Amino acid sequence: MRFNTKTIHGNQKHDETTGAVMPPIFQTSTYAQSSPGKHKGYEYSRTGNPTRTALENALASIENGNYGLAFGSGLAAIDAVMKLFKPGDEIISTNDLYGGTFRLFTKIFEKYGLKFHFVPMNNTNGIIEKINKNTKLIWVETPTNPMLNIIDIESTSIIAKKHKILLAVDNTFATPYIQTPLDLGADIVMHSATKYIGGHSDLVMGALIVKDKTLSEQLYFIQNASGAVCGPMDSFLALRGIKTLHVRMQRHCENARLIAAYLENHPKVETVYYPGLENHPNHIIAKKQMRDFGGMISFTTKGNNYDDAIHIVENLKFFTLAESLGGVESLAGHPASMTHASIPKEEREKTGVVASLIRLSVGIEAVEDLIEDLEQAIG
Ligand code: P1T
């Protein structure tokens, strides 16, 4: 089955009791039992809910995995991965990543004895240097948020396998329309399903997808034992989002490509970060592992002036100034003061999150309107 069919049919079936074509929203916390322990497969909605099951199966299909798990947020999904480990275990992570992930690692899990190494992953040397007998996981976000660096998943997975370390990939920015990390050797794919999977900025959700049965059982145990599940209504919305993922992504990519080209030629723009540009430092890896280049663009303005950046984001009309990304509508953000404010300034600036950096989540509106909007705001 091809990807565009999987989004609509992959691991999805009509409701067996009524024939409902769309999965019913099982808005229930519990399920009747005929005798203690005798039930129809569901006993309590933290443990399992049929609408969530429908979503989890669809997630497994689109990521070419065998098992999907849905959580109450992207961070809740990452939190579940971290609970696979014990004090003293070490994790090597991308140094340029979503600020909330950095905060979860350093402010929560370091307290419980996990040790994190944040390294640039433009080449694998940085990773190899940090590997020791306690290393249990390599955490990769690619493209990275917000600098749009591309990390070679396949090369990283070869190192991980050699040292018997798990490899997890945050696939939020790319989505399985663009790349399927499990096919490239990753063990765990993670999503902030709040973004492109949901696609309409109307829910907060996370997901994990794996191939391995034992790993799925460990994660399922944590999902149930820690309890950060998503509700049936949000599961339904995310499943509906998946059905149009391919058409939305196609337009996100088309629009972003044109906007990146426009920004590149703008006299007031200093640097454009978009993996589809030939001058992007990781363009060759991007071409190798991605089927397209996505809808996210970051750029800086000449002079790296904070006020110029704020003037632009305040004056955009179709790009709403807001956190988040991946919805049908265009959004703009100022990472240094918004999504990445939880990363210390020196750390942040080392990765390129400077005062004039603006991040665009290019929506699926008419691209001409989006370019005119940028034109009037940048001036
Ligand atoms: O917000 P939540 O659903 O908990 O997902 C966290 C998360 C994880 N990984 C990546 C790559 C992300 O971008 C996010 C959330 N990011 C934003 C809210 C943002 O505006 O960048």
Side-chain angles (χ1 to χ4, degrees), residues 73-76 78 98 101 141 145 170 172-173 190 192 194-195 204-205 323-325 339-340 359:
S73 71
L75 287 178
I78 303 173
Y98 172 55
T101 309
E141 188 181 289
N145 178 2
D170 183 334
T172 300
F173 269 34
M190 176 264 153
S192 168
T194 315
K195 313 296 180 325
V204 174
M205 185 184 283
E323 305 246 353
S324 205
L325 58 112
T339 46
H340 292 69
R359 189 189 75 180

Side-chain angles (χ1 to χ4, degrees), residues 92 119-131 156 159:
I92 303 172
V119 301
M121 293 190 176
N122 293 341
N123 63 57
T124 45
N125 294 344
I127 303 175
I128 293 168
E129 271 172 29
K130 296 290 177 198
I131 294 179
T156 310
I159 297 168

Side-chain angles (χ1 to χ4, degrees), residues 185-323:
D187 301 288
I188 303 173
V189 167
M190 176 264 153
H191 276 279
S192 168
T194 315
K195 313 296 180 325
Y196 291 106
I197 299 280
H200 297 75
S201 304
D202 52 10
L203 58 88
V204 174
M205 185 184 283
L208 300 176
I209 302 102
V210 301
K211 275 192 168 158
D212 182 71
K213 187 160 189 282
T214 309
L215 186 57
S216 83
E217 285 166 356
Q218 289 167 342
L219 290 167
Y220 173 69
F221 178 83
I222 294 167
Q223 183 195 40
N224 182 47
S226 284
V229 293
C230 52
M233 180 69 197
D234 284 354
S235 299
F236 171 85
L237 286 172
L239 196 49
R240 185 161 77 157
I242 287 175
K243 288 175 190 284
T244 57
L245 180 64
H246 53 303
V247 277
R248 287 185 286 106
M249 287 312 295
Q250 188 179 4
R251 185 61 62 84
H252 283 296
C253 294
E254 274 168 29
N255 283 359
R257 198 175 2 261
L258 293 168
I259 289 176
Y262 159 80
L263 289 171
E264 260 223 312
N265 293 315
H266 198 292
K268 291 192 180 163
V269 170
E270 179 72 44
T271 309
V272 182
Y273 300 94
Y274 184 65
L277 293 173
E278 277 181 20
N279 63 8
H280 183 284
N282 316 127
H283 180 64
I284 296 187
I285 302 167
K287 269 211 313 211
K288 185 180 85 166
Q289 76 184 16
M290 298 167 78
R291 293 178 275 270
D292 208 329
F293 302 107
M296 298 299 296
I297 303 173
S298 292
F299 69 99
T300 52
T301 49
K302 289 225 162 90
N304 189 28
N305 190 326
Y306 171 85
D307 293 333
D308 291 346
I310 299 306
H311 174 86
I312 294 169
V313 293
E314 282 179 355
N315 283 283
L316 286 163
K317 304 274 180 301
F318 290 127
F319 285 87
T320 302
L321 175 61
E323 305 246 353

